[in-house]
């Protein structure tokens, strides 16, 4: 299946299943991907096939482009629900991420004060003090946790660093004291080697919910495949499966939304 790369540094606005009318901020280059994960479901594609020959956009360039777009949208009377950091890889890897977030909040306050600022992060760099501070500043700190099973993580999320430790990630999520939203992809099918990647069963869901009790996030977002993926054997989780998982999370007293 084909995958896509996003322009940089501004994407959209687009309609997000989970967030509404979203203006994207892509702090990575437009001609490649820079990520600490290499997920088999990533719509941007595999890392090895997405090498970039360009530097990340500078903090100043991002702020200039974002202000120009917000001004244009405001003058046109366009609606905006959220400014979302996502794009071609992990946004928190930008060396000026904290400053970029501070600029974004300032511009949001100037042009669309009711809009939220969100970050979609795979959680791998949240231990860095500047990244942690940035994630505390945004409205929606959306942190990935597809499972707590290390074998599954290495098969599906495929962390680039061999030092990746899901227990450390969970501890870091706890350190936000509820200022985080856990985001989890549920899917079915097989990876490129024919291995089963269905994480909708009780074997995966029960320990994941037990971990949510530890993290106590403000909210949980569960979703399934919506766009084309580099691994061709993947399939959507069903509405019924997502609804059942959503209801189990809600029974723990944690708000949960499901995107189909």
């Amino acid at each position: 299946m084909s995958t896509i790369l996003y322009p940089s540094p501004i994407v959209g606005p687009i309609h997000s299943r989970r967030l509404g009318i979203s203006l994207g901020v892509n702090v990575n280059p437009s001609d490649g991907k820079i990520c600490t994960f290499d997920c088999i479901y990533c719509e941007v594609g595999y890392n090895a096939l997405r090498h970039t020959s360009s530097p990340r956009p500078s903090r100043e360039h991002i702020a200039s482009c974002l202000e120009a777009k917000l001004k244009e949208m405001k003058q046109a009377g366009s609606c905006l629900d959220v400014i979302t950091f996502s794009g071609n890889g992990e946004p928190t890897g930008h060396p000026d991420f904290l400053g970029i977030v501070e600029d974004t909040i300032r511009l949001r306050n100037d042009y669309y004060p009711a809009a939220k600022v969100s970050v979609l992060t795979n959680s791998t760099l949240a231990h860095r003090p500047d990244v942690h501070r940035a994630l505390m500043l945004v409205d929606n700190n959306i942190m990935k946790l597809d499972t707590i099973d290390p074998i599954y993580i290495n098969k599906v999320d495929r962390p680039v660093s061999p030092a990746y430790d899901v227990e450390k990630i969970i501890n870091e999520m706890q350190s936000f004291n509820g200022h985080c939203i856990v985001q989890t992809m549920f899917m079915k099918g097989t990876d490129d080697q024919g291995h089963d990647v269905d994480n909708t069963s009780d074997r995966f869901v029960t320990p994941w919910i037990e971990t949510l009790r530890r993290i106590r996030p403000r909210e949980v977002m569960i979703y399934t495949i919506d766009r084309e993926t580099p691994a061709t054997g993947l399939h959507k989780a069903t509405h019924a499966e997502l609804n059942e998982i959503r209801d189990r999370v809600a029974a723990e007293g944690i708000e949960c939304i499901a995107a189909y």
Side-chain angles (χ1 to χ4, degrees), residues 143-164:
M143 308 184 78
K144 177 184 293 295
L145 186 67
D146 287 338
T147 179
I148 66 164
D149 185 312
I151 295 175
Y152 188 92
I153 291 168
N154 286 323
K155 183 166 53 178
V156 172
D157 295 323
R158 307 198 305 176
V160 171
S161 171
Y164 179 90

Side-chain angles (χ1 to χ4, degrees), residues 64-249:
S64 175
C65 291
L66 178 58
E67 180 165 25
K69 186 64 178 182
L70 291 174
K71 186 180 296 184
E72 173 193 310
M73 291 177 64
K74 190 74 172 179
Q75 290 174 346
S78 301
C79 295
L80 182 63
D81 297 313
V82 62
I83 300 170
T84 307
F85 286 87
S86 57
N88 300 336
E90 174 56 30
T92 64
H94 195 294
D96 288 326
F97 183 68
L98 173 57
I100 293 167
V101 165
E102 291 172 335
D103 293 341
T104 300
I105 291 171
R106 172 178 54 81
L107 292 169
R108 181 276 309 272
N109 293 344
D110 288 344
Y111 291 94
Y112 282 91
K116 305 296 186 183
V117 176
S118 300
V119 176
L120 301 179
T121 174
N122 63 24
S123 313
T124 55
L125 303 177
H127 63 282
R128 295 181 177 177
D130 58 332
V131 172
H132 193 282
R133 182 179 169 192
L135 294 177
M136 285 297 293
L137 289 175
V138 301
D139 301 289
N140 298 321
N141 169 26
I142 305 172
M143 308 184 78
K144 177 184 293 295
L145 186 67
D146 287 338
T147 179
I148 66 164
D149 185 312
I151 295 175
Y152 188 92
I153 291 168
N154 286 323
K155 183 166 53 178
V156 172
D157 295 323
R158 307 198 305 176
V160 171
S161 171
Y164 179 90
D165 183 343
V166 69
E167 187 61 28
K168 290 181 179 178
I169 297 295
I170 293 165
N171 290 338
E172 197 59 45
M173 289 180 168
Q174 287 180 282
S175 76
F176 285 93
N177 297 316
H179 184 68
C180 70
I181 297 170
V182 171
Q183 175 186 249
T184 302
M185 165 71 80
F186 287 102
M187 63 182 181
K188 308 174 84 166
T190 58
D191 64 12
D192 291 333
Q193 287 72 46
H195 300 136
D196 179 49
V197 295
D198 184 347
N199 65 335
T200 64
S201 68
D202 195 58
R203 171 190 166 196
F204 291 99
V205 174
T206 294
W208 172 77
I209 289 177
E210 291 171 353
T211 302
L212 293 179
R213 292 192 197 116
R214 291 172 54 193
I215 299 170
R216 300 308 301 180
R218 188 185 86 214
E219 184 180 313
V220 174
M221 293 180 174
I222 61 174
Y223 66 121
T224 193
I225 295 166
D226 185 50
R227 300 181 178 95
E228 295 187 273
T229 59
T232 59
L234 306 181
H235 306 294
K236 284 176 172 285
T238 67
H239 286 205
E241 287 165 335
L242 289 181
N243 288 342
E244 181 181 0
I245 296 168
R246 178 200 62 199
D247 293 345
R248 289 182 63 180
V249 174

